[in-house]
Amino acid sequence: MNSTQLNKEQIQTHFNKSKNILNIQLPSSVSSTNDVAKEQFLKYPNKLSIVATHKQTAGRGRQGRAFYSNLTQGLYFSIAVTPNTSDLENIPLYTILAAATLVEVLEDNLESPLSVKWVNDIFYQGRKVIGILSELVSQKGQNGIIVGTGINFAGNFSQADEEAQNVAGTLFGEQLPDYFNYNEFLGQYLHRFYDYHQAFQKKEFMAVYEKHLMGIGKKVNYSVNNEPHEGTIQGINKRGQLLVMNSNHSIETLYGQDIHFNSKQFIDL
Ligand code: BTN
């Protein structure tokens, strides 16, 4: 078996915690791992479910955009879990938790640091390499959080749309290095995700996220419901919402609305 072949036993070995915690599904191709993860959550609400694949036929991103999921070395996976908080307003913090986990687990394998573009994009060497899409699932009073992640490990975007060609990049160029093992990565990722999830109230992932946040102290342009705005990024608050100082020197809190930052302006920050 080579290191690019996804394998349940190997993932479990690198997870290195009890076998009862995980429900692992590895379809060879799927429309969207978020949809399968929702089904798995409804079957196993007390487990940490993971659905991972190298191919999605209808991968989606935030605000209804498509997510290019056909890279030769792409990994697309979703985690489904019962949030470890009774405060519904804290549930979006799972996106922050996932981003912090990703930068910590991946940076050891990389030549340069990763940066986070609020709220759900991760950049490497000036290009978007990871997107996160968190969704809620509810049934009979039971809430689940689905955290879907697409990682461009290696390959090229010659078959992708113009938007992806302009912004997207990969972690390892066109070829995955021999030393890289997907199962090891997923096991380590799940291990750290689970630790942060169990200790959710401590919110230790917030400091990791903010340390990697792009553009702090920089003036940026953004749109809210298609209305143009300009402001200086201050950081995040305890809910993970972005704080921006506007031209009147008052602080605006950005969350929930249709907020869009053009990615290109982050490349030179
Ligand atoms: C974004 O860039 O707006 C978020 C992209 C999230 C993509 C991942 S890939 C795995 C999971 N399944 C999906 O359909 N989307 C997420």
Side-chain angles (χ1 to χ4, degrees):
M1 184 194 326
N2 67 36
S3 59
T4 63
Q5 214 165 344
L6 296 172
N7 176 273
K8 285 189 187 185
E9 285 72 32
Q10 277 200 31
I11 294 171
Q12 176 62 51
T13 302
H14 290 289
F15 177 56
N16 200 20
K17 291 183 191 283
S18 163
K19 281 207 155 180
N20 301 325
I21 298 171
L22 290 182
N23 161 36
I24 305 173
Q25 301 297 324
L26 305 174
S28 56
S29 166
V30 78
S31 54
S32 160
T33 54
N34 269 26
D35 293 340
V36 182
K38 281 180 194 168
E39 292 162 18
Q40 293 300 312
F41 174 80
L42 297 175
K43 276 194 202 162
Y44 307 105
N46 299 323
K47 297 237 179 205
L48 184 80
S49 291
I50 166 131
V51 180
T53 186
H54 288 300
K55 192 167 161 43
Q56 291 187 121
T57 52
R60 58 177 182 270
R62 285 176 76 235
Q63 292 150 356
R65 296 193 181 90
F67 184 79
Y68 185 68
S69 306
N70 219 352
L71 204 63
T72 46
Q73 298 292 346
L75 182 67
Y76 313 104
F77 62 96
S78 301
I79 286 182
V81 72
T82 299
N84 187 10
T85 172
S86 51
D87 182 350
L88 284 181
E89 289 199 12
N90 274 336
I91 295 180
L93 286 180
Y94 271 83
T95 301
I96 307 268
L97 183 160
T101 307
L102 286 162
V103 295
E104 286 190 312
V105 172
L106 286 168
E107 267 183 354
D108 287 349
N109 293 295
L110 300 172
E111 285 168 5
S112 9
L114 291 162
S115 321
V116 181
K117 179 190 151 215
W118 185 85
V119 57
N120 68 322
D121 291 340
I122 299 184
F123 276 59
Y124 182 62
Q125 298 179 338
R127 295 244 151 199
K128 174 173 167 176
V129 289
I130 301 176
I132 302 170
L133 176 69
S134 298
E135 297 177 321
L136 269 180
V137 55
S138 292
Q139 185 175 268
K140 295 183 192 143
Q142 179 106 38
N143 287 320
I145 178 81
I146 312 297
V147 187
T149 303
I151 308 184
N152 304 329
F153 277 104
N156 66 60
F157 295 90
S158 57
Q159 303 299 314
D161 63 22
E162 205 183 325
E163 159 91 16
Q165 294 198 5
N166 287 338
V167 179
T170 69
L171 289 170
F172 294 119
E174 297 223 2
Q175 289 291 333
L176 201 66
D178 289 343
Y179 68 81
F180 188 80
N181 181 322
Y182 284 115
N183 300 306
E184 184 179 352
F185 161 72
L186 279 174
Q188 289 175 351
Y189 175 81
L190 287 161
H191 184 107
R192 196 168 291 231
F193 185 103
Y194 188 72
D195 284 348
Y196 277 142
H197 160 71
Q198 287 230 294
F200 187 84
Q201 276 64 25
K202 290 192 189 162
K203 300 201 176 91
E204 284 168 341
F205 50 84
M206 302 283 285
V208 178
Y209 183 93
E210 203 161 33
K211 198 171 136 213
H212 288 81
L213 188 62
M214 292 168 100
I216 293 189
K218 306 280 180 190
K219 199 177 265 188
V220 290
N221 296 303
Y222 57 98
S223 64
V224 179
N225 299 328
N226 292 322
E227 286 283 315
H229 288 247
E230 191 184 74
T232 306
I233 295 182
Q234 308 293 301
I236 52 171
N237 66 12
K238 64 180 185 1
R239 300 271 192 218
Q241 300 160 345
L242 192 69
L243 303 172
V244 175
M245 190 166 67
N246 65 25
S247 50
N248 303 325
H249 288 264
S250 56
I251 302 287
E252 284 181 28
T253 307
L254 303 186
Y255 64 99
Q257 308 104 319
D258 184 1
I259 298 160
H260 184 65
F261 290 84
N262 188 327
S263 289
K264 283 210 156 164
Q265 64 187 318
F266 285 86
I267 290 171
D268 303 321
L269 288 184

